[in-house]
Amino acid sequence: MKLLFLIGDTAVGKMTVGRELMKITDLRLFHNHMTIEPVLEVFGHFHTRAILRMRDVVFEEFAASDGYGLIFTLMWAFDIQSDWNYVEHIKGIFLQKAPDTTFYYVELIAPQSVRLERNATENRLRHKSSKRDLEDSRRRLIEDDTQHRFVSLEGEIPFENYLRLENTDLPPQLAAQRIKEAFDL
C-alpha cells in the first residue's frame, strides 16, 4: 500500500496535479474538498469534526482494501503542531490496517500571485463550490497566508520519500510525471 501526501498552500495545484498523477499511476485521488464540499452543503458552514470523521472512514476503508495506493491532498500549516499530529494520525490508520504502507510527501510551491490567478480557474471552481465566491475565496487565501506558514522551511520535513516541486511554470502533467519518476510509482 502507498499513501502520497500532496501538500501545499491554497490554489497551488494539489487537486490538478493529483488528477494527472492518478492518470499515469494506479494511485487513486482523495482530494481534501471531497469531504469539505458535502459538509458545507449539509451544515452550511465548515464543520471540522464531520469533515475529519468522513476522511477517517475513507482512510480506514482504503487502507483495508487491496488498492495500490492513495493520493491525499491537504494544506499543512507547518507552524501548527496539530497539523503535524494530523498527518501522523492518518499514517497511524494506514499502519494499523496495512503495516507495509509506504508514505510519500510531495510539496507544491508557487508564489501568492500565481495562486491568486489559479484560485479563479474553471477547473477549480467546477470541483470546489466553496471557492465560487471569488472575492471571499481571494480574501481567505490572502488571510491564510498571513496567519500560517504553508511552505516548509529547508530541511523541516524529516521524512524519507519527500519531494519539493516549485510548480509556478511547471504544467500539471509534467509535475505528475516528475512525482511518478521520483518515487517509481
Side-chain angles (χ1 to χ4, degrees):
M1 177 76 58
K2 300 176 186 313
L3 177 59
L4 189 145
F5 292 98
L6 189 51
I7 58 180
D9 212 337
T10 302
V12 76
K14 299 177 295 291
M15 179 188 69
T16 305
V17 171
R19 287 184 179 281
E20 293 301 322
L21 186 57
M22 188 173 74
K23 289 178 186 176
I24 61 173
T25 66
D26 290 325
L27 296 168
R28 302 298 304 163
L29 175 63
F30 181 35
H31 69 79
N32 57 346
H33 278 266
M34 290 173 147
T35 52
I36 293 171
E37 299 303 330
V39 167
L40 286 173
E41 185 70 26
V42 171
F43 289 90
H45 64 277
F46 195 90
H47 191 291
T48 304
R49 194 173 74 131
I51 291 167
L52 296 177
R53 288 182 64 204
M54 287 175 64
R55 288 179 183 172
D56 280 358
V57 168
V58 172
F59 294 140
E60 290 165 5
E61 295 301 323
F62 195 91
S65 77
D66 62 354
Y68 173 73
L70 188 68
I71 303 162
F72 178 59
T73 71
L74 77 155
M75 288 178 59
W76 183 342
F78 295 103
D79 57 335
I80 299 177
Q81 184 60 47
S82 61
D83 279 16
W84 289 84
N85 297 346
Y86 183 59
V87 169
E88 291 302 317
H89 167 75
I90 297 167
K91 289 168 57 177
I93 291 171
F94 275 81
L95 290 173
Q96 182 180 27
K97 303 275 185 181
D100 64 336
T101 301
T102 303
F103 301 101
Y104 304 89
Y105 309 83
V106 177
E107 182 178 7
L108 300 178
I109 300 170
Q112 186 183 76
S113 59
V114 170
R115 294 183 298 107
L116 284 168
E117 288 176 25
R118 291 177 182 172
N119 194 49
T121 62
E122 179 185 334
N123 183 52
R124 180 173 175 79
L125 300 178
R126 181 175 50 246
H127 295 286
K128 300 176 180 180
S129 60
S130 63
K131 304 298 181 183
R132 292 180 189 150
D133 179 340
L134 294 177
E135 185 178 314
D136 182 59
S137 184
R138 177 184 172 82
R139 180 192 55 75
R140 283 186 284 138
L141 185 154
I142 293 168
E143 194 174 276
D144 283 348
D145 283 359
T146 62
Q147 292 180 349
H148 297 290
R149 184 171 51 81
F150 294 101
V151 176
S152 70
L153 301 173
E154 184 72 31
E156 183 174 21
I157 297 185
F159 309 117
E160 291 182 44
N161 302 320
Y162 167 70
L163 176 66
R164 183 178 185 148
L165 279 179
E166 213 293 350
N167 68 325
T168 297
D169 298 313
L170 189 64
Q173 299 86 352
L174 186 53
Q177 189 62 43
R178 288 192 185 168
I179 295 166
K180 178 182 178 178
E181 290 170 2
F183 299 128
D184 194 27
L185 301 170

